[in-house]
């Protein structure tokens, strides 16, 4: 029996402060088509997202997008993966009850033998609290900047932040995932 896929309008309108945490051994996995529609997700994905499994297939992955996430993060992710480069980053996701959960996400393109992108795969792990403590205020700055100056404003802040800390983006987030505190 088929079930109607969910769309962003089925997601909660107002987020809550209820946090769920992954366990240390969890891996959240999902795959999308080239447009970002979910074609596969594992048990933990379903559990954390809190939607019926069958209704997730075919849904746009932005279903679980949290309003606290800066747009610049997804812009960077899509730019990289469409060019067959890996994306690493911290993502705050929203579950069906409006609660949230933080992940450290890896996204990559899946290519066929001719090199054509056929799908995308994401694997996510639990981030250390030290990383969330650093990323959360940065994302707040970026979201605020986007409200007034759009994505150009947040991009500028991110670039200047990394320059100030003499780090590339990947180096910064991977160090945080390893427990670094800048
Ligand atoms: C394989 C894959 C996994 C993704 N996982 C997430 C995710 O867990 N949370 C999220 O908000 N966006 C995720 N995205 C990005 C979404 O496609 C989308 O760009 C993002 O939610 C912003 O959507 P919006 O621009 O419609 O607001 C993923 C994309 C791909 C290709």
């Amino acid at each position: 029996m088929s079930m109607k896929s969910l769309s962003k309008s089925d997601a909660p309108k107002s987020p809550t402060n209820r946090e769920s945490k992954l366990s240390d051994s969890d891996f959240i996995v999902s795959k999308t088509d080239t447009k970002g529609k979910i074609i596969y997700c594992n048990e933990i994905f379903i559990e954390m997202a809190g939607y019926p499994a069958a209704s997730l297939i075919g849904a746009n992955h932005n279903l679980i997008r949290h309003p606290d996430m800066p747009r610049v993060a997804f812009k960077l992710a899509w730019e990289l993966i469409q060019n067959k480069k890996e994306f690493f980053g911290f993502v705050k996701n929203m579950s069906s009850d409006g609660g949230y959960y933080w992940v450290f996400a890896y996204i990559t393109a899946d290519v066929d033998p001719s090199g054509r992108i056929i799908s995308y795969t994401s694997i996510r792990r639990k981030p250390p609290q030290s990383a969330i403590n650093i990323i959360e205020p940065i994302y707040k700055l970026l979201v605020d900047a986007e409200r007034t100056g759009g994505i150009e404003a947040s991009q500028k802040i991110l670039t200047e932040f990394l320059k100030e800390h003499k780090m590339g983006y990947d180096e910064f987030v991977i160090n945080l995932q390893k427990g670094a505190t800048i």
Side-chain angles (χ1 to χ4, degrees):
M1 203 175 72
S2 70
M3 196 168 171
K4 202 181 172 301
S5 326
L6 295 163
S7 68
K8 190 66 195 161
S9 59
D10 298 308
K13 301 293 168 278
S14 37
T16 74
N17 283 326
R18 202 187 62 82
E19 180 174 18
S20 309
K21 283 194 169 149
L22 281 175
S23 77
D24 289 331
S25 58
D26 282 343
F27 285 96
I28 303 186
V29 183
S30 63
K31 291 178 86 72
T32 71
D33 66 9
T34 54
K35 303 253 157 58
K37 283 193 167 169
I38 299 168
I39 55 174
Y40 168 81
C41 51
N42 70 351
E43 270 305 316
I44 301 166
F45 184 103
I46 296 160
E47 209 178 288
M48 297 300 286
Y51 293 102
S55 61
L56 284 168
I57 304 303
N60 188 310
H61 216 309
N62 71 4
L63 176 70
I64 59 169
R65 184 209 203 286
H66 197 287
D68 290 351
M69 279 301 293
R71 281 194 286 142
V72 68
F74 299 116
K75 181 172 181 269
L76 175 66
W78 278 100
E79 272 169 12
L80 287 168
I81 64 175
Q82 284 175 328
N83 286 297
K84 301 180 202 171
K85 297 200 174 87
E86 298 168 317
F87 167 80
F88 294 95
F90 295 94
V91 181
K92 183 178 187 176
N93 278 327
M94 185 166 65
S95 39
S96 64
D97 64 358
Y100 66 93
Y101 55 100
W102 278 98
V103 297
F104 181 64
Y106 161 80
I107 317 178
T108 190
D110 308 313
V111 295
D112 74 6
S114 72
R116 195 174 57 101
I117 296 175
I118 48 173
S119 54
Y120 295 106
T121 300
S122 178
I123 303 171
R124 310 162 185 88
R125 300 218 63 175
K126 180 184 179 178
Q129 189 57 46
S130 56
I132 299 171
N133 293 346
I134 291 164
I135 281 294
E136 208 166 27
I138 296 173
Y139 279 2
K140 277 205 178 85
L141 278 177
L142 298 178
V143 168
D144 283 346
E146 284 173 4
R147 255 186 224 119
T148 50
I151 207 152
E152 271 165 41
S154 61
Q155 197 124 42
K156 199 170 161 216
I157 291 175
L158 184 59
T159 306
E160 273 165 15
F161 174 88
L162 293 170
K163 209 168 140 191
E164 199 178 301
H165 289 84
K166 299 187 169 58
M167 268 190 272
Y169 170 81
D170 279 4
E171 190 188 355
F172 176 56
V173 295
I174 290 166
N175 282 347
L176 288 184
Q177 179 62 9
K178 286 181 185 160
T181 48
I182 324 193

